[in-house]
């Protein structure tokens, strides 16, 4: 926890369900402490039917900033006063800023993905990508890749109707070729052979189910960039097997740190200490201290 100094303490928080294993309190409190800011960050478990009350309560308590996670990223939009245009396009808010009682929603997941691609010098321009999942982070990933000039995006999801809905919304705001598929081995087999990139935006492989993978190893190949939004564990079975076949891999930690960094800037107006945030998260992930 950040050491509090006398005077006004600015409060930031996470709302979602579940939130128990989130690394956001750790990375933000590490950054507040490092910059000696009188801020603190806490996680609140908020169920679907308590969302409206939670937002009203946080506004009344004058919290400075809110991060929003599963399952509220889209639902929360209707309780906010203003929405940033990117969040509106993506139809998902993961960061809220309280400007003197006016709550404005932003999407920093898209920026988190774009900065991760930039950091790794991965260009998606003219490339074909498969996104597995159609939830909050899949939404951000499809927009990020479309905005960066991907040639074609395939959304593969367990519930096909959710993929179709996301594809329809994406096509409305970005000019990109989009198709949808059920998340089955048969469907993935044909697409992955001719794809440049695949992003896992499902929780498959996440702790404690670390023996699971969304793609059988035999479908992976060395010409793929394989990204996993899951960051616990850091090296998922998908990433381990992708590395074994010679594919380029990107774990979920950079996305997490960079989306947090963008939120931090919005709340504090300061550049966050990225390396301290990353080191703190790595210590916990490597220690499996959950
Ligand atoms: P979400 O909005 O609940 O969406 C989950 C998606 O995964 C849905 O498309 C769902 O399919 C699919 N899914 C869930 N369980 C599945 C299963 N057993 N098999 C196949 N598909 C399944 O969640 P989210 O916020 O997008 O998060 C997804 C994952 O990304 C989580 O593991 C989360 O920890 C991670 N994440 C990482 C970051 C980061 O910064 N690295 C940020 C956010 C999330 P249906 O449509 O069929 O339900």
């Amino acid at each position: 926890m950040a050491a509090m100094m006398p005077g006004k303490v600015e409060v930031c928080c996470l709302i979602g369900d579940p939130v128990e294993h989130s690394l956001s309190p750790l990375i933000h409190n590490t950054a507040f402490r490092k910059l000696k800011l009188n801020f603190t960050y806490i996680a609140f478990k908020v169920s679907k039917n308590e969302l409206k009350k939670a937002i009203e309560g946080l506004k009344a308590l004058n919290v400075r900033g809110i991060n929003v996670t599963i399952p509220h990223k889209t639902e929360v939009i209707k309780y906010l006063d203003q929405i940033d245009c990117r969040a509106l396009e993506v139809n998902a808010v993961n960061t809220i800023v309280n400007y003197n009682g006016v709550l404005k929603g932003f999407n920093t997941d898209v920026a988190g993905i774009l900065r991760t691609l930039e950091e790794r010098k991965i260009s998606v321009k003219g490339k074909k990508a498969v996104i597995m999942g159609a939830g909050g982070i899949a939404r951000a990933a499809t927009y990020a890749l479309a905005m960066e000039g991907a040639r074609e995006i395939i959304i593969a999801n367990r519930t096909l109707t959710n993929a179709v809905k996301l594809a329809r919304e994406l096509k409305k705001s970005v000019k990109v070729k989009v198709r949808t598929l059920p998340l089955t081995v048969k469907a993935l087999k044909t697409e992955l052979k001719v794809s440049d990139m695949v992003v896992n935006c499902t929780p498959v492989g996440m702790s404690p189910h670390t023996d699971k993978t969304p793609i059988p190893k035999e479908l992976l190949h060395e010409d793929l960039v394989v990204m996993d939004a899951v960051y616990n564990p850091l090296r998922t079975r998908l990433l381990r097997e992708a590395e074994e076949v010679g594919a380029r891999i990107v774990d979920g930690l950079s996305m997490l740190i960079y989306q947090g960094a963008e939120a931090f800037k919005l709340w504090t107006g300061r550049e966050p200490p990225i390396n301290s945030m990353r080191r703190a998260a790595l210590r916990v992930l490597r220690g499996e201290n959950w």
Side-chain angles (χ1 to χ4, degrees):
M1 268 297 163
M4 289 296 118
M5 284 157 277
K8 187 173 186 304
V9 177
E10 298 278 9
V11 177
C12 296
C13 67
L14 170 69
I15 56 170
D17 185 12
V19 291
E20 291 79 5
H21 291 170
S22 171
L23 285 180
S24 292
L26 173 75
I27 62 174
H28 284 290
N29 284 320
T30 299
F32 294 148
R33 196 168 47 217
K34 179 88 182 165
L35 297 190
K36 297 189 169 51
L37 297 176
N38 230 6
F39 275 65
T40 194
Y41 187 111
I42 27 182
F44 293 121
K45 183 173 173 178
V46 174
S47 64
K48 269 188 178 170
N49 52 6
E50 297 288 344
L51 179 63
K52 184 170 186 274
K53 270 198 270 177
I55 293 292
E56 285 167 358
L58 292 168
K59 192 172 181 176
L61 292 170
N62 202 25
V63 300
R64 173 65 184 151
I66 307 168
N67 273 148
V68 184
T69 187
I70 301 174
H72 307 309
K73 285 184 182 178
T74 298
E75 193 63 16
V76 76
I77 290 176
K78 61 172 174 271
Y79 304 122
L80 303 180
D81 303 305
Q82 294 175 4
I83 311 291
D84 170 71
C85 55
R86 177 177 283 175
L88 206 57
E89 264 182 19
V90 180
N91 197 22
V93 160
N94 77 318
T95 300
I96 301 168
V97 185
N98 183 353
Y99 296 108
N100 297 318
V102 176
L103 297 188
K104 181 166 181 179
F106 295 84
N107 188 305
T108 69
D109 282 330
V110 173
I113 292 164
L114 292 176
R115 277 189 75 177
T116 300
L117 293 172
E118 191 188 321
E119 175 190 74
R120 305 293 170 97
K121 299 192 170 34
I122 295 168
S123 167
V124 297
K125 203 168 171 51
K127 302 282 169 63
K128 172 170 168 170
V130 175
I131 306 288
M132 296 184 291
I137 199 70
R139 204 165 260 282
T142 50
Y143 276 82
L145 298 189
M147 279 162 47
E148 282 301 283
R151 178 182 88 243
E152 184 174 3
I153 292 177
I154 314 285
I155 305 170
N157 195 45
R158 181 177 65 178
T159 310
L160 190 59
T161 48
N162 290 343
V164 171
K165 184 169 177 282
L166 174 55
R168 205 177 293 134
E169 289 178 25
L170 179 68
K171 273 191 263 187
K172 265 193 221 156
S173 42
V174 195
K175 199 167 173 286
V176 64
K177 187 174 172 196
V178 193
R179 284 191 295 122
T180 55
L181 291 178
L183 187 61
T184 61
V185 173
K186 191 169 170 233
L188 285 176
K189 192 173 180 178
T190 321
E191 294 302 334
L192 287 174
K193 259 188 220 164
V194 287
S195 292
D196 305 290
M197 186 174 198
V198 60
V199 189
N200 177 34
C201 295
T202 77
V204 177
M206 190 165 86
S207 181
H209 306 291
T210 54
D211 58 330
K212 299 271 188 279
T213 179
I215 310 176
K217 188 177 175 184
E218 53 278 17
L219 268 55
L220 299 168
H221 57 81
E222 63 181 354
D223 297 326
L224 272 177
V225 172
V226 181
M227 259 178 119
D228 204 333
V230 173
Y231 55 80
N232 176 28
L234 210 51
R235 199 50 67 96
T236 55
R237 178 172 166 193
L238 171 65
L239 294 185
R240 284 199 316 273
E241 294 183 345
E243 196 168 42
E244 281 164 17
V245 303
R248 201 163 162 204
I249 62 166
V250 183
D251 65 51
L253 186 60
S254 289
M255 286 185 216
L256 178 81
I257 299 292
Y258 286 132
Q259 65 74 29
E262 294 300 315
F264 185 96
K265 277 196 266 184
L266 288 167
W267 297 329
T268 66
R270 301 280 300 273
E271 274 303 320
I274 298 275
N275 290 338
S276 301
M277 293 160 92
R278 196 191 299 264
R279 270 197 305 274
L282 278 173
R283 268 198 302 275
V284 172
L285 289 170
R286 289 196 176 133
E288 295 295 335
N289 189 13
W290 290 85

